[in-house]
Amino acid sequence: MRGRRGDRMTINIQEHMAINVCPGPIRPIRQISDYFPRRGPGPEGGGGGGGEAPAHLAPLALAPPAALLGATTPEDGAEVDSYDSDDGTALGTLEFDLLYDQASCTLHCSILRAKGLKPMDFNGLADPYVKLHLLPGACKANKLKTKTQRNTLNPVWNEDLTYSGITDDDITHKVLRIAVCDEDKLSHNEFIGEIRVPLRRLKPSQKKHFNICLERQVPLASPSSMSAALRGISCYLKELEQAEQGPGLLEERGRILLSLSYSSRRRGLLVGILRCAHLAAMDVNGYSDPYVKTYLRPDVDKKSKHKTSVKKKTLNPEFNEEFFYEIELSTLATKTLEVTVWDYDIGKSNDFIGGVSLGPGARGEARKHWSDCLQQPDAALERWHTLTSELPPAAGALSLA
């Protein structure tokens, strides 16, 4: 459009933007089901024409996800062993076996293989490995990890990872978290997907097979980015989780296997420190130098202290040492056996790893172990106990010992 000099040119907004603001009626987007017509009984198998399926055709009967993936059929009331979702399928599937051996207090995890993992590297492949955690609990203390398989989206591990010191109470309340990650030597390892299996779904001495789609990890927003309502909901959920887990919940620092036996011939208590499992790492190298101390409280004369040798650079030490306390059975009923595990450090205070107290004031398995020892003289009773972050009052002043 041309005009005389000095005249203001009027340009239609449609010409200026060079677009058609009225493209016509909006048509519905075709759904994915339109490309896969349902087929049912009939002379033409349901027909492939457009439009809706005839009313007399029944919907396609789909097999349950567990059957499609080859997983074992879950029991009534148990969670499904697979997930039929685009997100889960895009991350890949993981095949593994779980076995709870009640006699030896062990949980055997056989990581078999994965298929169709999400590519994480520039070459369209990944360097996957699997790591396990028992929740709730100290993640570093109970982490198990497989080897890394290089440049593959269908890795085969066939590795057996074992948790020791697993009790029936753990099977009731614990959840096994299985995460698949991509190892990156030049930067941080990347998360691919995870699976969470409640251990209550396992039956003692019966192997259970799983073949499940991986799920995404849903990160929790930082408190600064949350609204006041979200922060309140987050705090409420944490308090609810702690209430469900039990009152006075403390951080787990590992397990210890103790043997108790009251000798009627020697008239005393024989305490066996056998081994520890999945201790918390206290040193920068990812390990600890653990040793165990025992006290029989109250200790007026301060002569009840016993200490094992130090095991270097390990989170699963074996001690197999015994200590003897000369004491009458009637007096022993009023005492409390205090067992603490420490990390030995040269030139500075030793670090407290965890402890457990057995006596009339204890709770759960610790109290039962103590009462069984008093009621069954001359019988060696071995039990696993959970080490917690609670430091006994008398032990704090003796950390250098």
Side-chain angles (χ1 to χ4, degrees), residues 266-327:
R266 301 174 60 184
R267 294 185 178 275
L269 176 66
L270 188 63
V271 180
I273 309 297
L274 304 182
R275 56 178 298 202
C276 295
H278 316 299
L279 294 179
M282 307 302 292
D283 297 335
V284 294
N285 58 5
Y287 294 95
S288 294
D289 301 322
Y291 68 94
V292 181
K293 293 192 299 184
T294 64
Y295 291 90
L296 199 59
R297 309 286 188 187
D299 184 18
V300 180
D301 298 331
K302 298 183 179 180
K303 296 181 179 180
S304 67
K305 172 187 169 183
H306 289 287
K307 184 171 68 172
T308 68
S309 58
V310 178
K311 303 298 180 180
K312 294 291 186 179
K313 198 178 179 181
T314 178
L315 300 179
N316 300 279
E318 293 190 9
F319 299 99
N320 293 318
E321 300 184 28
E322 291 184 342
F323 305 128
F324 182 76
Y325 292 99
E326 185 176 354
I327 187 173

Side-chain angles (χ1 to χ4, degrees), residues 204-282:
S205 303
Q206 292 186 14
K207 180 182 292 186
K208 189 173 181 64
H209 182 74
F210 296 83
N211 194 353
I212 308 181
C213 290
L214 297 174
E215 288 187 312
R216 299 183 186 276
Q217 185 182 39
V218 182
L220 183 63
S222 60
S224 59
S225 63
M226 290 183 183
S227 63
L230 287 179
R231 282 196 296 269
I233 293 175
S234 176
C235 294
Y236 169 76
L237 292 177
K238 289 181 179 179
E239 293 178 358
L240 180 62
E241 181 180 4
Q242 292 178 358
E244 291 177 350
Q245 293 168 1
L249 182 67
L250 299 170
E251 180 187 359
E252 293 186 9
R253 297 292 186 88
R255 304 295 173 91
I256 185 169
L257 180 59
L258 300 176
S259 173
L260 297 182
S261 175
Y262 183 82
S263 175
S264 56
R265 181 179 61 86
R266 301 174 60 184
R267 294 185 178 275
L269 176 66
L270 188 63
V271 180
I273 309 297
L274 304 182
R275 56 178 298 202
C276 295
H278 316 299
L279 294 179
M282 307 302 292

Side-chain angles (χ1 to χ4, degrees), residues 86-93 115-118 192-193 214-216:
D86 293 339
D87 289 342
T89 307
L91 299 177
T93 61
K115 293 183 179 179
L117 294 181
K118 178 182 177 182
I192 298 178
L214 297 174
E215 288 187 312
R216 299 183 186 276

